[in-house]
Each structure stands twice: as structure tokens, then as C-alpha cells.
Amino acid sequence: MAHQKQEEGKGRRTDEGEAYSFGYTSVSAQEKTRLVHEHFDSIAGKYDWMNSLLSLGLHHAWKRKAVAAAGLAPGHLVLDGCGGTADLSLLACNTLGEEGRAIVYDMNRTMMQVGQRKALRSPSAGRVAFVEGDVECMPFPDGTFDAVMVAFGIRNLTHVEDGLREIHRVLKEQGTFVCLEFSKEITWWFKPLYDVYSFAFMPLAGRVLAGSRKAYTYLPESIRVFATPGELSNVLEGIGFTDVSFTKLTQGIAVVHRATKGSAGRPRT
Ligand SMILES: C[S@@+](CC[C@H](N)C(=O)[O-])C[C@H]1O[C@@H](n2cnc3c(N)ncnc32)[C@H](O)[C@@H]1O
């Protein structure tokens, strides 16, 4: 696993004193980063398995849709931000051909170690690299990637806008950003069921099956305090992304956001 100093990005900001939400709890910036780290450390070994169980396997279909939305082509260089156990990268490799490469970039080494073992067992071994670091301050030069994909990661950032600005910076002109994220905007008739599922079943399943009620209490809470798809789209436009759109999946539980770097409608070269 590569370890790189965070030189290219603008550097970590110091904003101690401000409050950030870790689920329904308000914490300092430093504490949020520490808690997110601890959260994924505690569930890394069971993360993939719990994802499949809690989403009834739907996360695989959501991830396929997200990767399809990235418009990948053979030879592309793709960043899988907050890539964790490497699902998006491994899917992307089906399209990237022999010359294409995917980089899993994540601040949690334990999550990436699970991903590395998966990558080694896959036909894509050798085309996926793993780099440890913070999405809010990346070591990659401006305009490096044809596409940046992030699945279920943006919600966990301490400074969401800083992370999105970094993603915009490392994308090539006309590069595509795809963000797969949970949403609290659920179809009205499904919402009561989903709330019971989220706040009763998920923490219970977390305690019994993953040994952590806390981790699976954070998950539904973090979804409820995160931006709506419309709000996230506004942030993306504010940063300078164009052609910003989103598609709701499975009654709104998950959403695929898509955005482009550069002038709207300009054909990709
Ligand atoms: C819910 S997991 C998603 C993993 C993978 N993308 C997937 O969909 O299965 C969120 C990941 O984001 C990572 N993460 C959270 N904040 C991060 C940050 N600021 N920089 C890099 N990675 C971060 C966590 O370590 C974790 O592996």
C-alpha cells in the first residue's frame, strides 16, 4: 500500500472550536475524523458482509449503476475516493481494459487491507492500486483523473465541501464525478418502514452480527443529518461542477449523483 505525504492539496485546515455532526452527536473536527476512523476500524472485517445483509444485496446493483454513470472507457485512470474495500474499483476494471487503472484512496488502512485481499483474488489484480490518505487533502496533481467515484463516503467527511473541491481539482477537464450516497428523501409510503428498519433493526443487527450496536446506530443517524440530493447538487454547482444531476434508487434510499468538471455541454476529448 502506498503512503504518500499530502503535498498537492491545500493542506488540512485548523478549525477547532467549530461543531461537526457525528450522527446525532456534535463533536470537534478532530474528534469527528477520529470517530470515523474508529468506526471503520471496528467494522472493516465484516463491512462487506453487513452491507450485503443490510441492503439485501441491493448495494451491488447500486454500485453497478454508479460505475455505469461514470462513463468509463478503456485506458482511463479512475479514482475510487473513500474506496474502502474496493468494490467500485473492481467493477470499474471490467471496463478499463489492460491499460486502465483504478486507485482506491481511503484514510482507513484496515478497510483497504480487506479490499487488497479481494483485489488479489480478482482478475483485476495489478490494475488496482491502494493509497492511504484523506480525500479532503489529496496528494495527486491537478487534472489527474478521467473520473472520480465515491460510494457511501462523502457523508463521512468532516469538511464535505473541502473534499468535493479536492475531487474537482484532481479531475481532468471534462472528467466525471459520480457520488453514490444514501439519502433521507424516501418515498412517503416507504419512509415509516425504512425508519423502523433503520433505527430498530440496523442497530440490533449491528450488535448481534457485527458486535457493534454503536457503528450501526451511526449509519442511520449520519444519513439523516446529511444533505438532501438537491442540497448536495447545489454544493456541487457552487464548487464549479457542471451538468449536475442525480437519480434516486430503491424508493430514494440511495442516490447516484453525476457531475462534470468544465463547461456545460462541451464534448469530451
Ligand atoms: C461506508 S465506507 C464506503 C467504502 C466503499 N466506498 C464502499 O462503498 O463499499 C466509507 C469509507 O470512507 C472512508 N473515509 C471516510 N472519511 C474519509 C476521508 N476524509 N478521506 C478518505 N477516506 C475517508 C472510510 O475510511 C471508509 O472506508
Side-chain angles (χ1 to χ4, degrees), residues 152-171:
F152 307 120
I154 290 295
R155 175 176 39 89
N156 295 292
L157 300 187
T158 304
H159 308 99
V160 172
E161 281 200 41
D162 287 1
L164 294 172
R165 269 200 198 91
E166 274 292 87
I167 287 167
H168 188 267
R169 181 184 70 75
V170 301
L171 266 174

Side-chain angles (χ1 to χ4, degrees), residues 40 47 63 82-84 106-108 111 133-135 151-152 156-157:
F40 287 105
Y47 176 80
K63 285 171 177 167
C82 299
D106 197 293
M107 68 177 186
N108 190 297
M111 288 287 282
D134 190 335
V135 162
F152 307 120
N156 295 292
L157 300 187

Side-chain angles (χ1 to χ4, degrees), residues 232-249:
L232 185 59
S233 298
N234 289 339
V235 174
L236 291 170
E237 281 171 350
I239 285 168
F241 282 101
T242 55
D243 295 329
V244 175
S245 63
F246 63 83
T247 308
K248 293 185 175 186
L249 308 172

Side-chain angles (χ1 to χ4, degrees), residues 85-153:
T85 60
D87 275 358
L88 289 193
S89 290
L90 293 173
L91 281 172
C93 281
N94 295 334
T95 312
L96 296 178
E98 284 309 309
E99 303 304 315
R101 295 286 179 272
I103 296 180
V104 178
Y105 184 77
D106 197 293
M107 68 177 186
N108 190 297
R109 191 181 296 193
T110 321
M111 288 287 282
M112 284 196 293
Q113 282 167 341
V114 176
Q116 278 183 309
R117 288 194 287 275
K118 259 160 60 180
L120 283 175
R121 291 193 302 268
S122 85
S124 311
R127 286 183 291 144
V128 183
F130 291 79
V131 178
E132 188 179 336
D134 190 335
V135 162
E136 294 177 26
C137 178
M138 295 199 262
F140 311 109
D142 297 0
T144 302
F145 296 98
D146 296 286
V148 177
M149 317 175 294
V150 179
F152 307 120

Side-chain angles (χ1 to χ4, degrees), residues 212-233:
S212 175
R213 184 182 174 86
K214 201 167 92 181
Y216 289 90
T217 302
Y218 165 69
L219 172 61
E221 287 185 0
S222 67
I223 296 167
R224 298 321 187 275
V225 297
F226 188 61
T228 63
E231 287 165 351
L232 185 59
S233 298

